[in-house]
Amino acid sequence: MIPLDHPELKQLARLLRKYNLLHTVSRLASLLTVPSLHANNIRLEVLVHLAVIHCRGTRKPSVKVLERLLNEYLGNTSITSAEDPPEDVFITNVRTPDGNRRMFEGIWHSSCYFTQTVIDILCSREATPELVRLIAPILTLLKLSDLVANRVGLQRWHTESSVPQGECTLSPVTRIVDRGNSVSFSSEELTKYQINPALLDPFILKTNCRNLLCTETLGHTSLERYPIVKVGNKLLLALPNAVGPAIRRFLLSKLQTMELLPTFAKLLASYQSYQVESEGLGRFENVDSAKSLSTDTTDLPINDWLLRVDVNRYIHLVLLHYPLEPLHNEGVDCLFEYRKETEESLCAYLNRTVDHCMDSPDKIDGTTLIVSGGLGGNCSIDFRDWSNRWGLTVIHIADFLMLVNDPAQSVVRFLKFIKQKNWVEKQGVEFTPIIGDYTVFCYWLRSEFQIAPREFSVIPRSVLCIDVGYPLNVRTQCRRTLDHHVIQTTQGVYVEAMRLDLDPYFGSLSARPIYGSVDHVQFGVLAGAIESKRGPTWFSLRLRDKGNGFRDYAYQFWNGFIDLFYRLVDEVETLNLTLQSGPIEVCLDLTEVVMPKVGGGLISAVGIIEPEILVENDTAIVKLPATFLQYFQQPENYGERYVVTCIAKALLKLHTGEVEDFDDNLVESLTDEVVGDAGIRILHAFTSYDKVEHLLQKHSKNPTMLAQEDLVFANGINSYGLDAPASRLYLDRPAGDP
């Protein structure tokens, strides 16, 4: 990227010799924790590198001095012209066995995803003992990163408006001296935070590496590999935004030394193949069949699947595995190429698959979707021999996983976008060559599905130049909507969780802190948590393995009552009570519950059985009676009130420690607040003899609606200026975007 011995940096290097190493590096490093300077990361990183190389004096840089360094000495150089708008959030989150760890994303491509991948593989059952030993230093560096984020008060998925190639203004709220201390750690502070300094040693810049910095290039420097600088008895996290790349380079270096690169490459390929198959294949609509293909060329670094959708369409999903060696030798964001023979074999294989599908009867359309895997880097592939019988697109695996998990984006919309983009390109329109399809897709989403503006001439030689910052809004919304993180259980372990309400049409619902546990689902358990300032409050069901017929309805029951559970938790935590700290759980035990008999009569209120509530290990188990479902056969919402009353008693037991003595008025008041309206119903347990209702119950298909993106495109074809002169249009992000 930028050589640190660049001629434009010589004057700045001489000036920095007058300044103190500790105070200058810490204050410059702290500017990398300022969200409004996200777009100016290149300038800041150059300054930090130069300070580490040249600072030997006694002066302490003031705010005005720092502004001069950024604006006068660097603002008018070619270095500033390399700045681009940020493409992802400022703070991301990595899920670890020790909890959530916030990470400064910087401008590294998909740094969060790659770091998460490293953690997942090293903590997996398939990892060898040699690989498992590498996890401790990585987790320690992530803990240091999280502490810095906590000191400057930044939460996961935070982002702010940031302007590249402009003047950097440091506001008084930056408090440069205090912020400088946020990246500095004394030995006493490390002890306080239970951090073993020896585990940070693999990330501390050594003297010999420091001497090499002036000969290196930004993007693959020793400081990016060793982002901690030791000054006296203090450790400075000099590049907070390089924690992710440092972890990958540490891993690759160790793997190279231990000759385990091939072993890890196999684990990585298996991990990403499982991700694409388990998370991706099920998200395609109307899939008639899906099969994994076996290539007829053994040297192709791919896994692929052929999906038949909508009867007459194919999707060829190809996971392309990037090699690890170039990342170790040239940098984690390097550009590399496959051998010409590999490129030709890959293109020939893709063409053969297309020909096979297109030559079969009634199969008239398709898309080849290449997902680029690996652990970083960018690959240049020559598709000049592509047959072009149907569409082809390449997307990074991190973006692909966002597509398949976020209902507002959806992989189905992405495929529609590719089809529309192909139509525009067939009219002769060109897109900026360096811009990938995902960036154009993000612009398409933001422009309300208009692949080209109405004033644009859709004719040969017209060019659309799209700003690289469009993915920021899409990625921010996706990350905040899903909010994928870990939550501690009452057993003290951390489990993966994602937001439960993902409907993009109801923004207020999707902002609620209601999460479903991914790990519990994998073991066939329904569990979710409400996160509040107090801590997580879990809600789970205990079911009989088989025999009572209720398992088929368990999810609807749990999903309905977790909303009421959220309201009840909120009500309880606003009471003037001494609340229990840490994770607590309410578990409804339905193992004795039986399905109501057909034609059974209504149960009287006199026959209501008070449940047994047992509290152990911060978990309240509510043992529901066998006749429990009959309570939902009442004309009023008696069953709902019964469940909410039980949960209210369980929560009060957990928080107050009371075993039997409840304030009945308080319990009734809480119940009325949550289900006081008789119209609030979760479950109806009535027998129906209506044939229409039986048909509706068995009918599995949803009504098909005309998607907005289809309507916009259909209208747009008739309104584009097909006879106008060629034009060139630059599409910047709307003003005010973060």
Side-chain angles (χ1 to χ4, degrees), residues 411-457:
V411 70
V412 176
R413 273 186 169 168
F414 182 74
L415 293 173
K416 289 180 180 180
F417 153 76
I418 292 299
K419 194 171 182 178
Q420 294 181 18
K421 181 172 179 281
N422 289 340
W423 178 86
V424 172
E425 288 176 326
K426 286 180 180 178
Q427 310 307 311
V429 175
E430 298 177 8
F431 290 84
T432 312
I434 61 172
I435 301 299
D437 282 344
Y438 184 74
T439 299
V440 184
F441 170 70
C442 293
Y443 150 75
W444 180 74
L445 289 176
R446 190 62 192 271
S447 63
E448 297 182 344
F449 315 112
Q450 292 188 64
I451 189 63
R454 294 286 182 261
E455 67 273 17
F456 183 73
S457 302

CSV table of all heavy atoms in Angstrom, one decimal, residues 411-457:
chain,number,residue,atom,x,y,z
A,411,VAL,N,-30.5,-13.8,0.2
A,411,VAL,CA,-29.8,-14.3,-1.0
A,411,VAL,C,-30.7,-14.3,-2.2
A,411,VAL,O,-30.3,-14.2,-3.4
A,411,VAL,CB,-29.2,-15.7,-0.7
A,411,VAL,CG1,-30.3,-16.8,-0.6
A,411,VAL,CG2,-28.2,-16.1,-1.7
A,412,VAL,N,-32.0,-14.5,-2.0
A,412,VAL,CA,-33.0,-14.5,-3.1
A,412,VAL,C,-33.0,-13.1,-3.8
A,412,VAL,O,-32.9,-13.0,-5.1
A,412,VAL,CB,-34.4,-14.8,-2.7
A,412,VAL,CG1,-35.4,-14.7,-3.8
A,412,VAL,CG2,-34.4,-16.2,-2.1
A,413,ARG,N,-32.9,-12.0,-3.0
A,413,ARG,CA,-32.9,-10.7,-3.6
A,413,ARG,C,-31.5,-10.5,-4.3
A,413,ARG,O,-31.5,-9.8,-5.4
A,413,ARG,CB,-33.0,-9.6,-2.5
A,413,ARG,CG,-34.4,-9.3,-2.2
A,413,ARG,CD,-34.5,-8.1,-1.2
A,413,ARG,NE,-35.9,-7.6,-1.2
A,413,ARG,CZ,-36.3,-6.8,-0.2
A,413,ARG,NH1,-35.5,-6.4,0.7
A,413,ARG,NH2,-37.6,-6.4,-0.3
A,414,PHE,N,-30.5,-11.0,-3.8
A,414,PHE,CA,-29.2,-10.9,-4.4
A,414,PHE,C,-29.2,-11.5,-5.8
A,414,PHE,O,-28.6,-11.0,-6.8
A,414,PHE,CB,-28.1,-11.6,-3.6
A,414,PHE,CG,-26.7,-11.4,-4.1
A,414,PHE,CD1,-26.0,-10.2,-4.1
A,414,PHE,CD2,-26.1,-12.5,-4.7
A,414,PHE,CE1,-24.7,-10.1,-4.6
A,414,PHE,CE2,-24.8,-12.4,-5.2
A,414,PHE,CZ,-24.1,-11.2,-5.2
A,415,LEU,N,-29.8,-12.7,-5.9
A,415,LEU,CA,-29.9,-13.4,-7.2
A,415,LEU,C,-30.7,-12.6,-8.2
A,415,LEU,O,-30.5,-12.5,-9.4
A,415,LEU,CB,-30.4,-14.8,-7.1
A,415,LEU,CG,-29.5,-15.7,-6.3
A,415,LEU,CD1,-30.2,-17.1,-6.1
A,415,LEU,CD2,-28.2,-16.0,-7.1
A,416,LYS,N,-31.8,-12.0,-7.7
A,416,LYS,CA,-32.6,-11.1,-8.6
A,416,LYS,C,-31.8,-9.9,-9.0
A,416,LYS,O,-31.9,-9.5,-10.2
A,416,LYS,CB,-33.9,-10.6,-7.8
A,416,LYS,CG,-34.9,-11.7,-7.6
A,416,LYS,CD,-36.1,-11.1,-6.8
A,416,LYS,CE,-37.1,-12.2,-6.6
A,416,LYS,NZ,-38.3,-11.6,-5.8
A,417,PHE,N,-31.0,-9.3,-8.1
A,417,PHE,CA,-30.1,-8.2,-8.5
A,417,PHE,C,-29.2,-8.6,-9.6
A,417,PHE,O,-29.0,-7.9,-10.6
A,417,PHE,CB,-29.4,-7.7,-7.3
A,417,PHE,CG,-28.1,-7.1,-7.6
A,417,PHE,CD1,-28.0,-5.8,-8.1
A,417,PHE,CD2,-26.9,-7.8,-7.4
A,417,PHE,CE1,-26.8,-5.2,-8.4
A,417,PHE,CE2,-25.7,-7.2,-7.7
A,417,PHE,CZ,-25.6,-5.9,-8.2
A,418,ILE,N,-28.6,-9.8,-9.5
A,418,ILE,CA,-27.6,-10.2,-10.5
A,418,ILE,C,-28.3,-10.3,-11.9
A,418,ILE,O,-27.7,-10.0,-12.9
A,418,ILE,CB,-27.0,-11.6,-10.1
A,418,ILE,CG1,-26.1,-11.4,-8.9
A,418,ILE,CG2,-26.2,-12.2,-11.2
A,418,ILE,CD1,-24.9,-10.5,-9.1
A,419,LYS,N,-29.5,-10.8,-11.9
A,419,LYS,CA,-30.2,-11.0,-13.1
A,419,LYS,C,-30.5,-9.6,-13.7
A,419,LYS,O,-30.4,-9.4,-14.9
A,419,LYS,CB,-31.6,-11.7,-12.9
A,419,LYS,CG,-32.2,-12.2,-14.1
A,419,LYS,CD,-33.4,-13.1,-13.8
A,419,LYS,CE,-34.1,-13.6,-15.1
A,419,LYS,NZ,-35.2,-14.6,-14.7
A,420,GLN,N,-30.9,-8.6,-12.9
A,420,GLN,CA,-31.1,-7.3,-13.4
A,420,GLN,C,-29.8,-6.6,-13.8
A,420,GLN,O,-29.8,-5.9,-14.9
A,420,GLN,CB,-31.8,-6.4,-12.3
A,420,GLN,CG,-33.2,-6.9,-11.9
A,420,GLN,CD,-33.9,-6.0,-10.8
A,420,GLN,OE1,-33.4,-4.9,-10.6
A,420,GLN,NE2,-34.9,-6.6,-10.2
A,421,LYS,N,-28.8,-6.8,-13.1
A,421,LYS,CA,-27.5,-6.2,-13.5
A,421,LYS,C,-27.0,-6.8,-14.8
A,421,LYS,O,-26.5,-6.1,-15.7
A,421,LYS,CB,-26.4,-6.5,-12.4
A,421,LYS,CG,-25.0,-6.0,-12.7
A,421,LYS,CD,-24.1,-6.1,-11.5
A,421,LYS,CE,-22.7,-5.6,-11.8
A,421,LYS,NZ,-21.9,-6.5,-12.6
A,422,ASN,N,-27.2,-8.1,-15.0
A,422,ASN,CA,-26.9,-8.7,-16.3
A,422,ASN,C,-27.7,-8.1,-17.5
A,422,ASN,O,-27.2,-7.9,-18.6
A,422,ASN,CB,-27.1,-10.2,-16.3
A,422,ASN,CG,-26.1,-11.0,-15.4
A,422,ASN,OD1,-25.1,-10.4,-15.1
A,422,ASN,ND2,-26.5,-12.2,-15.0
A,423,TRP,N,-29.0,-7.8,-17.2
A,423,TRP,CA,-29.8,-7.2,-18.3
A,423,TRP,C,-29.2,-5.8,-18.6
A,423,TRP,O,-29.1,-5.4,-19.8
A,423,TRP,CB,-31.2,-7.0,-17.8
A,423,TRP,CG,-32.1,-6.3,-18.8
A,423,TRP,CD1,-32.8,-6.9,-19.8
A,423,TRP,CD2,-32.4,-4.9,-18.9
A,423,TRP,NE1,-33.5,-6.0,-20.5
A,423,TRP,CE2,-33.3,-4.7,-20.0
A,423,TRP,CE3,-32.0,-3.8,-18.1
A,423,TRP,CZ2,-33.7,-3.5,-20.3
A,423,TRP,CZ3,-32.5,-2.6,-18.5
A,423,TRP,CH2,-33.3,-2.4,-19.6
A,424,VAL,N,-28.8,-5.0,-17.6
A,424,VAL,CA,-28.3,-3.7,-17.9
A,424,VAL,C,-27.0,-3.8,-18.6
A,424,VAL,O,-26.7,-3.0,-19.5
A,424,VAL,CB,-28.1,-2.9,-16.5
A,424,VAL,CG1,-27.4,-1.6,-16.8
A,424,VAL,CG2,-29.5,-2.6,-15.9
A,425,GLU,N,-26.1,-4.8,-18.2
A,425,GLU,CA,-24.9,-4.9,-18.9
A,425,GLU,C,-25.1,-5.4,-20.4
A,425,GLU,O,-24.3,-5.0,-21.3
A,425,GLU,CB,-24.0,-5.9,-18.2
A,425,GLU,CG,-23.5,-5.4,-16.8
A,425,GLU,CD,-22.7,-6.4,-16.1
A,425,GLU,OE1,-23.1,-7.6,-16.1
A,425,GLU,OE2,-21.7,-6.0,-15.4
A,426,LYS,N,-26.1,-6.1,-20.7
A,426,LYS,CA,-26.4,-6.5,-22.0
A,426,LYS,C,-26.8,-5.3,-22.9
A,426,LYS,O,-26.7,-5.4,-24.1
A,426,LYS,CB,-27.4,-7.6,-22.1
A,426,LYS,CG,-26.9,-9.0,-21.6
A,426,LYS,CD,-28.0,-10.0,-21.6
A,426,LYS,CE,-27.5,-11.4,-21.2
A,426,LYS,NZ,-28.6,-12.4,-21.2
A,427,GLN,N,-27.3,-4.3,-22.2
A,427,GLN,CA,-27.6,-3.1,-23.0
A,427,GLN,C,-26.4,-2.2,-23.3
A,427,GLN,O,-26.5,-1.2,-23.9
A,427,GLN,CB,-28.6,-2.2,-22.2
A,427,GLN,CG,-29.8,-2.9,-21.7
A,427,GLN,CD,-30.6,-3.7,-22.7
A,427,GLN,OE1,-30.9,-3.1,-23.8
A,427,GLN,NE2,-30.9,-5.0,-22.5
A,428,GLY,N,-25.2,-2.7,-22.8
A,428,GLY,CA,-24.0,-2.0,-23.0
A,428,GLY,C,-23.5,-1.1,-21.9
A,428,GLY,O,-22.4,-0.4,-22.0
A,429,VAL,N,-24.2,-1.1,-20.7
A,429,VAL,CA,-23.7,-0.3,-19.6
A,429,VAL,C,-22.6,-1.0,-18.9
A,429,VAL,O,-22.5,-2.2,-18.7
A,429,VAL,CB,-24.9,-0.1,-18.6
A,429,VAL,CG1,-24.5,0.6,-17.4
A,429,VAL,CG2,-26.0,0.6,-19.3
A,430,GLU,N,-21.6,-0.2,-18.5
A,430,GLU,CA,-20.4,-0.7,-17.7
A,430,GLU,C,-20.5,-0.2,-16.3
A,430,GLU,O,-21.0,0.9,-16.0
A,430,GLU,CB,-19.1,-0.2,-18.4
A,430,GLU,CG,-19.0,-0.7,-19.8
A,430,GLU,CD,-17.7,-0.2,-20.5
A,430,GLU,OE1,-16.9,0.5,-19.7
A,430,GLU,OE2,-17.5,-0.4,-21.7
A,431,PHE,N,-20.0,-1.0,-15.4
A,431,PHE,CA,-19.8,-0.6,-14.0
A,431,PHE,C,-18.4,-0.4,-13.7
A,431,PHE,O,-17.5,-1.0,-14.4
A,431,PHE,CB,-20.4,-1.7,-13.1
A,431,PHE,CG,-21.9,-1.8,-13.1
A,431,PHE,CD1,-22.6,-2.5,-14.1
A,431,PHE,CD2,-22.7,-1.1,-12.2
A,431,PHE,CE1,-23.9,-2.6,-14.2
A,431,PHE,CE2,-24.1,-1.1,-12.3
A,431,PHE,CZ,-24.7,-1.9,-13.3
A,432,THR,N,-18.0,0.3,-12.7
A,432,THR,CA,-16.7,0.6,-12.3
A,432,THR,C,-16.0,-0.8,-12.1
A,432,THR,O,-16.5,-1.6,-11.3
A,432,THR,CB,-16.6,1.4,-11.0
A,432,THR,OG1,-17.4,2.5,-11.1
A,432,THR,CG2,-15.2,1.9,-10.7
A,433,PRO,N,-14.9,-1.1,-12.7
A,433,PRO,CA,-14.3,-2.4,-12.7
A,433,PRO,C,-13.9,-2.9,-11.3
A,433,PRO,O,-14.0,-4.1,-11.0
A,433,PRO,CB,-13.0,-2.3,-13.6
A,433,PRO,CG,-13.3,-1.1,-14.5
A,433,PRO,CD,-14.2,-0.2,-13.7
A,434,ILE,N,-13.4,-2.0,-10.5
A,434,ILE,CA,-12.9,-2.4,-9.2
A,434,ILE,C,-14.0,-2.6,-8.1
A,434,ILE,O,-13.7,-3.1,-7.0
A,434,ILE,CB,-11.9,-1.4,-8.6
A,434,ILE,CG1,-12.5,0.0,-8.4
A,434,ILE,CG2,-10.7,-1.3,-9.5
A,434,ILE,CD1,-11.7,1.0,-7.7
A,435,ILE,N,-15.2,-2.3,-8.5
A,435,ILE,CA,-16.3,-2.5,-7.6
A,435,ILE,C,-16.9,-3.9,-7.7
A,435,ILE,O,-17.3,-4.3,-8.8
A,435,ILE,CB,-17.4,-1.4,-7.8
A,435,ILE,CG1,-16.8,0.0,-7.6
A,435,ILE,CG2,-18.6,-1.6,-6.9
A,435,ILE,CD1,-16.2,0.3,-6.2
A,436,GLY,N,-17.0,-4.6,-6.6
A,436,GLY,CA,-17.6,-5.9,-6.7
A,436,GLY,C,-19.1,-5.9,-6.7
A,436,GLY,O,-19.8,-4.9,-6.5
A,437,ASP,N,-19.7,-7.1,-7.0
A,437,ASP,CA,-21.2,-7.2,-7.2
A,437,ASP,C,-21.9,-6.9,-5.8
A,437,ASP,O,-23.0,-6.3,-5.8
A,437,ASP,CB,-21.6,-8.6,-7.6
A,437,ASP,CG,-21.4,-8.7,-9.1
A,437,ASP,OD1,-21.2,-7.7,-9.8
A,437,ASP,OD2,-21.3,-9.9,-9.6
A,438,TYR,N,-21.2,-7.2,-4.7
A,438,TYR,CA,-21.9,-7.0,-3.4
A,438,TYR,C,-22.0,-5.5,-3.2
A,438,TYR,O,-23.0,-5.0,-2.6
A,438,TYR,CB,-21.1,-7.6,-2.3
A,438,TYR,CG,-21.8,-7.5,-0.9
A,438,TYR,CD1,-22.9,-8.2,-0.7
A,438,TYR,CD2,-21.4,-6.6,0.0
A,438,TYR,CE1,-23.6,-8.1,0.6
A,438,TYR,CE2,-22.0,-6.4,1.2
A,438,TYR,CZ,-23.1,-7.2,1.5
A,438,TYR,OH,-23.8,-7.1,2.7
A,439,THR,N,-21.0,-4.7,-3.5
A,439,THR,CA,-21.1,-3.2,-3.4
A,439,THR,C,-22.2,-2.6,-4.2
A,439,THR,O,-23.0,-1.8,-3.8
A,439,THR,CB,-19.8,-2.5,-3.7
A,439,THR,OG1,-18.8,-3.0,-2.8
A,439,THR,CG2,-19.9,-1.0,-3.6
A,440,VAL,N,-22.3,-3.1,-5.5
A,440,VAL,CA,-23.4,-2.6,-6.3
A,440,VAL,C,-24.8,-3.1,-5.8
A,440,VAL,O,-25.8,-2.4,-5.8
A,440,VAL,CB,-23.2,-3.2,-7.8
A,440,VAL,CG1,-24.3,-2.6,-8.7
A,440,VAL,CG2,-21.8,-2.8,-8.3
A,441,PHE,N,-24.8,-4.3,-5.2
A,441,PHE,CA,-26.0,-4.8,-4.6
A,441,PHE,C,-26.5,-3.9,-3.5
A,441,PHE,O,-27.7,-3.6,-3.3
A,441,PHE,CB,-25.8,-6.2,-4.1
A,441,PHE,CG,-26.9,-6.8,-3.3
A,441,PHE,CD1,-28.1,-7.1,-3.8
A,441,PHE,CD2,-26.7,-7.0,-1.9
A,441,PHE,CE1,-29.2,-7.6,-3.0
A,441,PHE,CE2,-27.7,-7.5,-1.1
A,441,PHE,CZ,-28.9,-7.8,-1.7
A,442,CYS,N,-25.5,-3.5,-2.6
A,442,CYS,CA,-25.9,-2.6,-1.5
A,442,CYS,C,-26.4,-1.2,-2.0
A,442,CYS,O,-27.3,-0.7,-1.4
A,442,CYS,CB,-24.6,-2.4,-0.6
A,442,CYS,SG,-24.1,-3.9,0.2
A,443,TYR,N,-25.8,-0.7,-3.1
A,443,TYR,CA,-26.4,0.5,-3.7
A,443,TYR,C,-27.8,0.2,-4.2
A,443,TYR,O,-28.7,1.1,-4.0
A,443,TYR,CB,-25.5,0.9,-4.9
A,443,TYR,CG,-26.2,1.7,-6.0
A,443,TYR,CD1,-26.7,3.0,-5.8
A,443,TYR,CD2,-26.6,1.0,-7.2
A,443,TYR,CE1,-27.4,3.6,-6.8
A,443,TYR,CE2,-27.3,1.6,-8.1
A,443,TYR,CZ,-27.7,2.9,-7.9
A,443,TYR,OH,-28.5,3.6,-8.9
A,444,TRP,N,-28.0,-0.9,-4.8
A,444,TRP,CA,-29.3,-1.3,-5.3
A,444,TRP,C,-30.4,-1.3,-4.2
A,444,TRP,O,-31.5,-0.9,-4.4
A,444,TRP,CB,-29.2,-2.7,-6.0
A,444,TRP,CG,-30.4,-3.3,-6.6
A,444,TRP,CD1,-31.0,-2.9,-7.8
A,444,TRP,CD2,-31.2,-4.4,-6.1
A,444,TRP,NE1,-32.1,-3.7,-8.1
A,444,TRP,CE2,-32.2,-4.6,-7.1
A,444,TRP,CE3,-31.0,-5.2,-5.0
A,444,TRP,CZ2,-33.1,-5.7,-6.9
A,444,TRP,CZ3,-31.9,-6.3,-4.9
A,444,TRP,CH2,-33.0,-6.5,-5.8
A,445,LEU,N,-30.0,-1.9,-3.1
A,445,LEU,CA,-30.9,-1.9,-1.9
A,445,LEU,C,-31.2,-0.5,-1.5
A,445,LEU,O,-32.4,-0.2,-1.2
A,445,LEU,CB,-30.3,-2.7,-0.8
A,445,LEU,CG,-30.2,-4.2,-0.9
A,445,LEU,CD1,-29.4,-4.8,0.3
A,445,LEU,CD2,-31.6,-4.9,-1.0
A,446,ARG,N,-30.2,0.3,-1.4
A,446,ARG,CA,-30.4,1.7,-0.9
A,446,ARG,C,-31.2,2.6,-1.9
A,446,ARG,O,-31.9,3.5,-1.5
A,446,ARG,CB,-29.0,2.3,-0.6
A,446,ARG,CG,-29.1,3.7,0.1
A,446,ARG,CD,-29.7,3.4,1.5
A,446,ARG,NE,-30.1,4.7,2.1
A,446,ARG,CZ,-29.3,5.4,2.9
A,446,ARG,NH1,-28.1,4.9,3.2
A,446,ARG,NH2,-29.7,6.5,3.5
A,447,SER,N,-31.1,2.3,-3.2
A,447,SER,CA,-31.8,3.1,-4.2
A,447,SER,C,-33.2,2.5,-4.4
A,447,SER,O,-33.8,2.8,-5.5
A,447,SER,CB,-31.0,3.1,-5.5
A,447,SER,OG,-30.8,1.8,-6.0
A,448,GLU,N,-33.7,1.7,-3.5
A,448,GLU,CA,-35.0,1.1,-3.6
A,448,GLU,C,-35.1,0.3,-4.9
A,448,GLU,O,-36.1,0.4,-5.7
A,448,GLU,CB,-36.1,2.2,-3.6
A,448,GLU,CG,-36.1,2.9,-2.2
A,448,GLU,CD,-37.2,3.9,-2.1
A,448,GLU,OE1,-37.8,4.3,-3.2
A,448,GLU,OE2,-37.5,4.4,-1.0
A,449,PHE,N,-34.1,-0.5,-5.1
A,449,PHE,CA,-34.1,-1.6,-6.2
A,449,PHE,C,-34.0,-1.0,-7.6
A,449,PHE,O,-34.4,-1.7,-8.5
A,449,PHE,CB,-35.3,-2.5,-6.0
A,449,PHE,CG,-35.6,-2.9,-4.6
A,449,PHE,CD1,-36.7,-2.5,-3.9
A,449,PHE,CD2,-34.7,-3.7,-3.9
A,449,PHE,CE1,-36.9,-2.9,-2.6
A,449,PHE,CE2,-34.9,-4.1,-2.6
A,449,PHE,CZ,-36.0,-3.7,-2.0
A,450,GLN,N,-33.5,0.2,-7.8
A,450,GLN,CA,-33.3,0.7,-9.1
A,450,GLN,C,-31.8,0.4,-9.5
A,450,GLN,O,-30.9,1.0,-8.9
A,450,GLN,CB,-33.5,2.2,-9.2
A,450,GLN,CG,-35.0,2.6,-9.0
A,450,GLN,CD,-35.2,4.1,-9.2
A,450,GLN,OE1,-35.0,4.6,-10.3
A,450,GLN,NE2,-35.6,4.8,-8.2
A,451,ILE,N,-31.7,-0.5,-10.4
A,451,ILE,CA,-30.3,-0.9,-10.8
A,451,ILE,C,-29.6,0.3,-11.5
A,451,ILE,O,-28.4,0.4,-11.5
A,451,ILE,CB,-30.3,-2.1,-11.8
A,451,ILE,CG1,-28.9,-2.6,-12.0
A,451,ILE,CG2,-31.1,-1.8,-13.1
A,451,ILE,CD1,-28.2,-3.1,-10.8
A,452,ALA,N,-30.4,1.2,-12.1
A,452,ALA,CA,-29.9,2.4,-12.7
A,452,ALA,C,-30.8,3.6,-12.5
A,452,ALA,O,-32.1,3.4,-12.6
A,452,ALA,CB,-29.6,2.3,-14.2
A,453,PRO,N,-30.4,4.8,-12.1
A,453,PRO,CA,-31.3,5.9,-11.9
A,453,PRO,C,-32.1,6.2,-13.1
A,453,PRO,O,-31.7,5.9,-14.2
A,453,PRO,CB,-30.3,7.0,-11.5
A,453,PRO,CG,-29.1,6.4,-11.1
A,453,PRO,CD,-29.0,5.1,-11.9
A,454,ARG,N,-33.3,6.8,-12.9
A,454,ARG,CA,-34.1,7.2,-14.0
A,454,ARG,C,-33.5,8.1,-15.0
A,454,ARG,O,-33.7,8.0,-16.2
A,454,ARG,CB,-35.4,7.8,-13.5
A,454,ARG,CG,-36.3,6.9,-12.7
A,454,ARG,CD,-37.0,5.8,-13.5
A,454,ARG,NE,-37.9,5.0,-12.7
A,454,ARG,CZ,-37.5,3.7,-12.4
A,454,ARG,NH1,-36.3,3.3,-12.7
A,454,ARG,NH2,-38.3,3.0,-11.6
A,455,GLU,N,-32.6,9.0,-14.5
A,455,GLU,CA,-32.0,10.0,-15.4
A,455,GLU,C,-30.8,9.4,-16.2
A,455,GLU,O,-30.2,10.0,-17.0
A,455,GLU,CB,-31.5,11.2,-14.6
A,455,GLU,CG,-30.4,10.9,-13.7
A,455,GLU,CD,-30.8,10.5,-12.3
A,455,GLU,OE1,-32.0,10.0,-12.2
A,455,GLU,OE2,-30.0,10.6,-11.3
A,456,PHE,N,-30.5,8.1,-15.9
A,456,PHE,CA,-29.3,7.5,-16.5
A,456,PHE,C,-29.7,6.9,-17.9
A,456,PHE,O,-30.8,6.3,-18.0
A,456,PHE,CB,-28.8,6.4,-15.6
A,456,PHE,CG,-27.5,5.7,-16.1
A,456,PHE,CD1,-26.3,6.4,-16.1
A,456,PHE,CD2,-27.6,4.4,-16.5
A,456,PHE,CE1,-25.1,5.8,-16.5
A,456,PHE,CE2,-26.4,3.8,-17.0
A,456,PHE,CZ,-25.2,4.5,-17.0
A,457,SER,N,-28.8,7.0,-18.8
A,457,SER,CA,-29.1,6.4,-20.2
A,457,SER,C,-28.6,5.0,-20.2
A,457,SER,O,-27.4,4.7,-20.2
A,457,SER,CB,-28.3,7.2,-21.2
A,457,SER,OG,-28.7,8.6,-21.2
